[in-house]
Amino acid sequence: MSSAAEVHFDPLADPLTQLDRLLEHESGVVRAGAPVDALLVLRRDLVREVLRDTDTYSSRDALGGPMPASVPPRVAAELPEFLQEPVTAVVDADGPGHHRLHATVQAAYSRARTGTLRPLLVRRAGELAGEIAERRGGDLVADFAQPLTAAGMAAAMGVPQQDAPQLAAWAMSLAQVLTPTVPEEERAAAAGRLHGFAEWGGDLLDRAPEGSAAAIYARGADGRQALRREDALYCLLTHWVAGTVTTTHGITTAAHRLLCERALWQEAAADPDTFAPRAFDEGLRWAAPHRGLVRTVTRPATLGEVRLAPGDQVLPMLAAANRDPGHWAEPRRFDPHREAAHHDAFSYGPHACVGAHLARLEGEIALHTLLTALPSLRRDGDEPPLRPDFFFHGLARLPVTLTGPDPAEA
């Protein structure tokens, strides 16, 4: 048995290069300093061990601990009333409390419920692709993936489409509050902006259409209990971020990797029914959009060869699990021909992502639309920049151009 090796890990830099290097550590567990301050779990088998064993590895500090105690006093003082007492977003709950909350949220994003959104998503994806065709190019992040996932999440939640931009702004304010690398002054300002959400969100919970996520949070469904009002409001914000930012990154990563190899793009365009879902899953494997959430050790344990004590914090790195050469052949190669559906980008175990059905539906439709409506699409410019983010990984923008007539113009 041993202690973990000390390493440097910068969450705002490209994580893939760092994780590929860190995976060379035989133990599969290393210790990172500030701003992460946790043991990084890298190997796929160890990541799954942590995610599966919720008794040993608690989720209570998944988002930095319960608010308002988890944020600086100056930030906490600016929070609206519903965040002045501990709330949960489901990912930071354990035991029976988690099971009850998870069951309710899972009902809101079931395969059957999200499947009803297909016509809306197909129509919106077609509109966005048509606008790119008219301009002969654009940014697949801002002009395609972001508005598409926003439309899908708004419809799933029961949010009026015209209110989606404002909800997105509030959700990103909460993300700033929760992010330790954001300066305290900015976190306090972001907390203050959430007062407007409290009134709007309460009204949404009262009037949400039956069958929508907001209605299920507020009133329950299919034998599942309603969430506490404070938790329901918190979930509206956290689930918006989880359901839009990650899927946007998944769509643009897959599109980018296909566009990097012209022969691969052309092969996919010739058979979009097969390649759209496979490329989306392989993109999630190749670069998991979410890094993972902290778990707190509750009792003495050994993870791989590393001894752990109660109170230690471990961070299962989903992108590392998906690039573990002990499990994946040539993990650094993007290959939509491989069987990648059992990746860990949606996490694993009791806290596996309840929005996976919606994400896969949006990803499949997005890539299918690009491949069929814009087959002459190409990257425009050099390697696109990454978005510097503490929790997520993806492209900040993806400029593209059209080089020939597409089916919509024929």
Side-chain angles (χ1 to χ4, degrees):
M1 300 302 169
S2 63
S3 57
E6 300 276 348
V7 301
H8 172 72
F9 179 76
D10 181 358
L12 300 182
D14 177 10
L16 301 184
T17 301
Q18 298 178 83
L19 293 175
D20 287 340
R21 172 176 52 82
L22 294 177
L23 277 163
E24 297 173 4
H25 286 264
E26 292 184 6
S27 70
V29 181
V30 296
R31 183 178 294 280
V36 177
D37 286 328
L39 291 152
L40 307 184
V41 187
L42 306 167
R43 282 191 352 224
R44 184 175 186 263
D45 61 325
L46 300 181
V47 166
R48 289 195 161 198
E49 181 178 339
V50 170
L51 296 174
R52 184 170 51 240
D53 185 358
T54 57
D55 291 332
T56 303
Y57 304 100
S58 168
S59 294
R60 68 191 184 215
D61 298 317
L63 296 176
M67 288 218 287
S70 62
V71 299
R74 181 183 175 193
V75 178
E78 299 296 329
L79 291 169
E81 185 176 353
F82 81 93
L83 291 174
Q84 290 293 342
E85 295 186 8
V87 290
T88 179
V90 184
V91 295
D92 50 358
D94 289 320
H98 169 260
H99 300 325
R100 178 180 61 79
L101 292 165
H102 186 272
T104 300
V105 177
Q106 190 172 49
Y109 301 100
S110 67
R111 186 189 301 272
R113 281 195 165 88
T114 55
T116 64
L117 303 178
R118 179 177 285 275
L120 177 146
L121 291 166
V122 169
R123 181 174 67 253
R124 187 66 180 128
E127 292 170 350
L128 294 166
E131 293 168 5
I132 291 173
E134 288 180 8
R135 295 192 303 269
R136 308 301 300 170
D139 174 9
L140 286 188
V141 177
D143 299 332
F144 186 75
Q146 282 181 345
L148 179 62
T149 58
M153 199 62 187
M157 280 188 161
V159 173
Q161 291 290 334
Q162 67 269 19
D163 290 352
Q166 179 60 74
L167 177 56
W170 281 321
M172 294 315 296
S173 290
L174 178 65
Q176 287 183 292
V177 169
L178 294 171
T179 302
T181 53
V182 173
E184 186 174 314
E185 183 176 348
E186 294 180 25
R187 295 173 77 181
R193 291 193 292 271
L194 293 174
H195 286 268
F197 165 77
E199 181 177 354
W200 178 92
D203 183 57
L204 176 68
L205 293 174
D206 291 336
R207 61 180 170 78
E210 203 63 34
S212 66
I216 293 170
Y217 295 171
R219 302 189 283 275
D222 305 330
R224 274 78 166 188
Q225 297 179 31
L227 306 185
R228 284 192 320 146
R229 195 167 183 84
E230 295 84 358
D231 292 339
L233 289 169
Y234 193 44
C235 285
L236 288 174
L237 292 171
T238 55
H239 296 172
W240 179 273
V241 175
T244 57
V245 175
T246 53
T247 310
T248 291
H249 287 337
I251 291 168
T252 52
T253 292
H256 179 224
R257 300 320 303 173
L258 289 173
L259 288 167
C260 283
E261 299 181 47
R262 198 65 203 163
L264 191 57
W265 175 270
Q266 292 173 335
E267 182 182 8
D271 186 9
D273 290 348
T274 298
F275 276 88
R278 293 179 73 94
F280 182 65
D281 265 316
E282 173 64 354
L284 294 177
R285 183 210 64 81
W286 190 83
H290 187 240
R291 64 161 200 192
L293 294 172
V294 163
R295 300 293 190 268
T296 301
V297 179
T298 63
R299 56 195 179 193
T302 300
L303 189 61
E305 298 296 319
V306 174
R307 294 187 302 271
L308 303 176
D312 283 345
Q313 292 198 319
V314 299
L315 179 54
M317 302 296 290
L318 304 180
N322 285 344
R323 296 170 73 87
D324 181 355
H327 180 81
W328 304 95
E330 298 182 83
R332 302 180 191 183
R333 182 166 67 93
F334 176 85
D335 180 11
H337 299 92
R338 80 167 85 226
E339 292 293 333
H342 297 295
H343 58 74
D344 292 320
F346 291 122
S347 195
Y348 178 78
H351 282 281
C353 177
V354 295
H357 297 310
L358 178 58
R360 281 195 163 108
L361 179 66
E362 291 172 338
E364 173 198 339
I365 289 171
L367 293 176
H368 194 281
T369 300
L370 293 175
L371 292 166
T372 55
L374 305 172
S376 71
L377 203 65
R378 293 180 183 270
R379 285 197 321 168
D380 186 8
D382 298 328
E383 188 73 9
L386 294 174
R387 168 180 162 174
D389 197 297
F390 188 78
F391 291 106
F392 304 106
H393 167 74
L395 299 175
R397 55 185 180 274
L398 179 54
V400 292
T401 187
L402 271 66
T403 59
D406 281 314
E409 304 172 15

